[in-house]
Amino acid sequence: MKILVCVKVIKGELNPFDESALECALQLSNDVTVLSMCPESAASTLLPLTRLGAKVILISDAMYAGSDTLATSYILSKAVSLLEYDLILCGRQTVDGDTAQVGPMLSQMLGISLVTNALSVSVKDMTVNASTRMGDESVNLPALVTVERGYVLRFASIFSNPGKVQVWDNSKLLCDSSKCGLSGSPTRVLKAFESERGKRKCKFITMD
Ligand code: FAD
């Protein structure tokens, strides 16, 4: 079974939800490809994932800078369309942008089934079964599942060697420039601030 895992690099680290999705993928298959849209400087964060046996594709092009979730999903969908896959795993959300939009948008653009917020995932007879807080869900492959933080990413074996991070730019993806970057991003961030309203007091109690 071929699994693609979408990961976002945040300040030189993997988004924790995406680490969980990657571990989930490694438990399900030995044919795992990691996709990450990030600056080429993030290759050093992605390289260690090759020691886990994953293929790694870094997607980067000046044209993609300033992309919002819609443009990011479009660019990822163009990369995915160049690959064979049965299942795509994303994290539930990132810990910076925090929107949880990319997984669902990507599944819509690819026209495949979607299950969100999976606590655990299994696959049998071309059906993916995901357990969520809302109950169990089953959908046919190909499908996209977003994964909670339940899985702990394994350490690489000391006997493993790093492979190569492939870099794909727009000469490979052939994205429509009007759908990428700022021009392809309908979101406008007017202001970012911490809300004072609804701030709650928190009291820590001991076990006793
Ligand atoms: P979520 O939707 O919460 O992520 C869900 C899951 O999708 C992740 O767990 C992961 O599996 C997958 N995923 C998310 N992002 C990626 C990725 N990049 N590669 C692979 N998988 C991924 N960010 C920049 O870095 N540079 C910019 O110049 C920039 N400009 C922006 C301009 C605007 C107007 C806006 C609104 C945002 C901009 N961003 C930029 C932020 C960027 O849009 C988000 O980082 C990106 O769309 C992911 O959104 P999110 O963090 O909410 O992810």
Side-chain angles (χ1 to χ4, degrees):
M1 182 177 53
K2 294 179 187 301
I3 305 184
L4 306 181
V5 185
C6 297
V7 309
K8 182 174 175 184
V9 177
I10 302 170
K11 294 186 179 163
E13 290 181 15
L14 282 196
N15 178 44
F17 287 92
D18 305 348
E19 284 191 355
S20 174
L22 177 56
E23 177 56 32
C24 175
L26 293 169
Q27 289 184 18
L28 291 171
S29 172
N30 53 17
D31 190 345
V32 174
T33 302
V34 169
L35 287 178
S36 185
M37 186 175 98
C38 51
E40 282 196 51
S41 56
S44 55
T45 305
L46 298 172
L47 185 64
L49 306 182
T50 60
R51 291 184 56 211
L52 300 173
K55 285 161 251 168
V56 176
I57 299 172
L58 186 159
I59 299 158
S60 195
D61 197 290
M63 204 173 100
Y64 305 156
S67 293
D68 68 1
T69 54
L70 186 70
T72 299
S73 307
Y74 166 69
I75 295 160
L76 289 174
S77 76
K78 293 289 281 181
V80 168
S81 66
L82 298 175
L83 295 162
E84 286 179 11
Y85 64 92
D86 302 296
L87 177 64
I88 303 177
L89 297 180
C90 288
R92 183 186 87 186
Q93 66 186 79
T94 60
V95 292
D96 60 345
D98 228 10
T99 65
Q101 290 175 356
V102 170
M105 281 181 176
L106 181 57
S107 77
Q108 285 297 297
M109 289 175 184
L110 297 169
I112 60 174
S113 303
L114 168 72
V115 180
T116 55
N117 301 19
L119 298 163
S120 65
V121 182
S122 61
V123 177
K124 200 177 170 199
D125 300 332
M126 293 308 279
T127 301
V128 58
N129 305 294
S131 130
T132 77
R133 290 198 176 87
M134 306 293 283
D136 293 343
E137 298 283 349
S138 295
V139 292
N140 290 336
L141 296 175
L144 187 150
V145 178
T146 75
V147 181
E148 293 277 0
R149 281 182 74 172
Y151 293 88
V152 178
L153 185 59
R154 64 191 64 187
F155 290 114
S157 156
I158 51 166
F159 301 111
S160 63
N161 291 313
K164 275 203 169 139
V165 173
Q166 294 181 56
V167 180
W168 285 7
D169 63 14
N170 205 52
S171 65
K172 174 105 181 164
L173 267 58
L174 301 177
C175 290
D176 176 344
S177 61
S178 68
K179 294 184 179 176
C180 302
L182 275 180
S183 55
S185 299
T187 316
R188 293 287 169 267
V189 180
L190 302 180
K191 186 179 172 188
F193 61 97
E194 193 179 347
S195 171
E196 287 299 319
R197 276 180 64 202
K199 225 176 196 180
R200 290 182 295 179
K201 287 214 169 82
C202 172
K203 183 181 172 191
F204 287 91
I205 55 172
T206 65
M207 286 283 274
D208 300 333

